[in-house]
Amino acid sequence: MKTSHIVAILVIAAAIAIIIATAGDASTYVNFDQAYQIASTGNTTGIHVVGSLKKDAQGNVEGLEKSDDRLSFSFVLVDDQQKEQKVIYNEPMPPDFLRSEKVVVIGSYQGENFVALKILLKCPSKYQDTKLKAGV
């Protein structure tokens, strides 16, 4: 075999190894009931749950509890099945958290609470069309 063939085979093998490694880390969105079932089997990998913040009639977020040192907080997330769940996040509150349209929490159950390791936000202001008025 030529050296170029060996190099090509090694590159292809490395690409396949990378694809397999990242595919094993991929996760789909689940609701809180499914996340609890996954956690009850002993699976401690990061579970993705998508939902929205619980809000009152005036649009104020309900169930938000900040720690005294503001280095952690908890909140109530409502999943797509309308199940409410307390989520604990051991990091400071992300900017624009209260204005989020949708929230994705990545973590797992610890007891009766869902403990998030990461929080991803979808803020409506970032995705709305802006209209420009040009003066003629």
Side-chain angles (χ1 to χ4, degrees):
M1 280 189 157
K2 292 184 179 180
T3 311
S4 61
H5 290 133
I6 294 172
V7 171
I9 290 172
L10 290 175
V11 169
I12 291 171
I16 291 172
I18 290 171
I19 290 170
I20 291 172
T22 56
D25 192 35
S27 177
T28 59
Y29 295 130
V30 297
N31 59 40
F32 283 118
D33 289 333
Q34 294 167 327
Y36 190 79
Q37 290 174 351
I38 292 169
S40 66
T41 63
N43 189 345
T44 59
T45 61
I47 301 168
H48 293 67
V49 180
V50 64
S52 56
L53 298 174
K54 183 178 179 183
K55 295 184 179 181
D56 61 13
Q58 289 78 28
N60 299 320
V61 176
E62 293 182 341
L64 182 67
E65 298 174 10
K66 299 177 188 175
S67 67
D68 292 335
D69 58 5
R70 297 191 182 262
L71 294 177
S72 64
F73 71 104
S74 65
F75 58 96
V76 176
L77 190 68
V78 182
D79 68 9
D80 293 336
Q81 303 296 320
Q82 302 307 311
K83 179 176 180 179
E84 298 179 4
Q85 177 63 53
K86 181 177 181 179
V87 177
I88 299 171
Y89 187 57
N90 292 317
E91 296 287 334
M93 186 183 303
D96 296 331
F97 178 78
L98 299 176
R99 297 183 343 167
S100 305
E101 182 178 296
K102 289 283 186 181
V103 178
V104 177
V105 290
I106 304 169
S108 63
Y109 270 95
Q110 292 182 6
E112 295 298 316
N113 295 318
F114 190 89
V115 178
L117 302 174
K118 287 184 183 178
I119 295 179
L120 307 173
L121 307 174
K122 179 182 178 195
C123 297
S125 62
K126 293 181 180 178
Y127 302 101
Q128 291 175 346
D129 292 335
T130 55
K131 296 180 181 179
L132 297 175
K133 295 182 180 180
V136 181

